[in-house]
Every structure is written in C-alpha cells, then in structure tokens.
C-alpha cells in the first residue's frame, strides 16, 4: 500500500470511489487531479484525498477508502499525507466539511468550528459554497497541529 500523487490514469477510479461513497464530484474538472493523492494496492486505487489550497489555508476534501480495505489505517495515512503536503506548501490551517466522518476527524485533531470563522478563500471554494449540504459539520485544524 502506498500514498502518491494522483495521475491521469487514476481519474476514473477516484470518481468511482467518491460516487460509491456518496461524496460530491461535480467540481472535479480542469486540473483537479493535481490536487489529489491516492492510496494504491498494487496498481489498484483503493483510496483518495483531495487538498484545495489557497494562500496559507486549505480545504481537505473527498477523503475516501474503498469498502474492502477500511479500518486498516489507510484513511489515517491519506490524511497525514495531505497534511504533509499542505504544510510543505505553506498552509497554516486546514478546514473540512463532513456529514459522515466527524468523529474520525476529531480523533485526528480536527475540531468542530462555526462556519463564520471560515476564511474567504475557503468560502469561495465550490465544495464549501455549493456542494456540501448546509447540515454538514465544519471542522478546522490550525497551526502547529498539522501533520
Ligand atoms: C472515513 C474513511 C475515509 C476512513 O477510512 P479508513 O481507511 O477506514 O480509516 P482508518 O482505518 O485510518 O481509521 C478508521 C478506524 O479504523 C481503526 N483502525 C485503523 N487500523 C486498524 C486496524 N488495523 N484494525 C482495526 N481497526 C483499525 C482506526 O483506529 C479508526 O478508528 P477511530 O476513528 O476510532 O480511530 C472511510 O470510512 C470512508 O471512505 N468513508 C466514506 C467516505 C467518507 O465519509 N469520507 C469523509 C468525507 S470528508
């Protein structure tokens, strides 16, 4: 199992995983693959995570692991890899929206937050602005806590 940047060959597999998990894909167009990491088991994509960065903040999005290999630490590995990438690229805070995995993220250092604290750059991202239901939990991880 390894976590690596996504390549053009991974596009269909990532979208299939997200569709199967009921996560949004409508904004995955243009150069979206550059913003994704994938977990591979041999050649097969078994997990993915996206990271939309803007200045010194980022939105962690589209975390998914295929049904088969869940609860083996892959989700955790993907989150850590995304956090590392974020930190290397100068992010000081990460945000996310989730309807299904708030507890998973709490155990990884994210705290529920009021949407009012979302920086403008995050608010303008399609995932935040239109794709995630208003009922989703908004969460943040700030400063030295990354990675
Ligand atoms: C959320 C999701 C990505 C987690 O993926 P995962 O690979 O199962 O994640 P992990 O294995 O790292 O952690 C899941 C649990 O399994 C446990 N676990 C990890 N390795 C384990 C092992 N070897 N044996 C038993 N349990 C293990 C972890 O401790 C964790 O439990 P915790 O949250 O209570 O700490 C996955 O459930 C998923 O794709 N869900 C649907 C999509 C979704 O909701 N995405 C979030 C949108 S923002």
């Amino acid at each position: 199992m390894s976590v690596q940047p996504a390549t053009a060959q991974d596009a269909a597999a990532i979208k299939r995983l997200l569709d199967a998990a009921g996560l949004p894909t409508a904004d995955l167009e243009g150069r979206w693959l550059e913003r994704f990491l994938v977990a591979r088991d041999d050649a097969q994509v078994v997990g993915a995570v996206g990271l939309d960065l803007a200045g010194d903040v980022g939105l962690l999005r589209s975390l998914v692991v295929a049904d088969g290999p869940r609860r083996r630490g892959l989700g955790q590995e993907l989150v850590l890899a995304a956090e590392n990438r974020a930190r290397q690229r100068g992010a000081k805070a990460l945000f996310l929206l989730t309807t299904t995995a708030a507890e998973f993220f709490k155990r990884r250092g994210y705290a529920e937050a009021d949407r009012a604290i979302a920086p403008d750059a995050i608010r303008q991202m399609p995932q935040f602005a239109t794709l995630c239901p208003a009922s989703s939990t908004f969460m943040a991880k700030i400063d030295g806590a990354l990675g």
Side-chain angles (χ1 to χ4, degrees):
M1 231 50 105
S2 63
V3 175
Q4 294 155 351
T7 67
Q9 287 73 35
D10 300 327
I14 296 171
K15 286 188 175 177
R16 262 198 308 275
L17 284 177
L18 293 174
D19 278 339
L23 296 178
T25 57
D27 65 326
L28 300 182
E29 50 191 25
R31 299 167 71 95
W32 66 274
L33 274 168
E34 291 172 358
R35 309 198 300 273
F36 270 73
L37 298 166
V38 291
R40 286 202 185 82
D41 187 4
D42 292 329
Q44 206 190 344
V45 174
V46 292
V49 66
L51 178 69
D52 294 343
L53 291 169
D56 63 357
V57 295
L59 187 72
L60 190 72
R61 43 90 47 94
S62 306
L63 174 69
V64 66
V65 170
D67 284 342
R70 281 190 194 166
R71 300 194 67 81
R72 294 185 200 164
L74 262 185
Q76 158 99 349
E77 235 182 280
L78 284 161
V79 169
L80 288 177
E83 289 178 349
N84 280 335
R85 175 183 269 206
R87 203 178 37 236
Q88 280 162 11
R89 297 183 181 183
K92 302 249 184 322
L94 280 184
F95 300 89
L96 63 86
L97 289 159
T98 183
T99 54
T100 49
E103 291 305 318
F104 171 89
F105 285 111
K106 265 185 205 164
R107 285 188 281 274
R108 284 151 189 86
Y110 290 78
E112 271 186 52
D114 193 315
R115 285 180 190 227
I117 72 156
D120 284 347
I122 297 291
R123 265 169 216 286
Q124 284 156 15
M125 291 177 182
Q127 256 242 334
F128 187 96
T130 54
L131 292 177
C132 279
S135 58
S136 36
T137 306
F138 180 59
M139 304 185 83
K141 191 174 190 178
I142 294 176
D143 285 330
L146 284 187

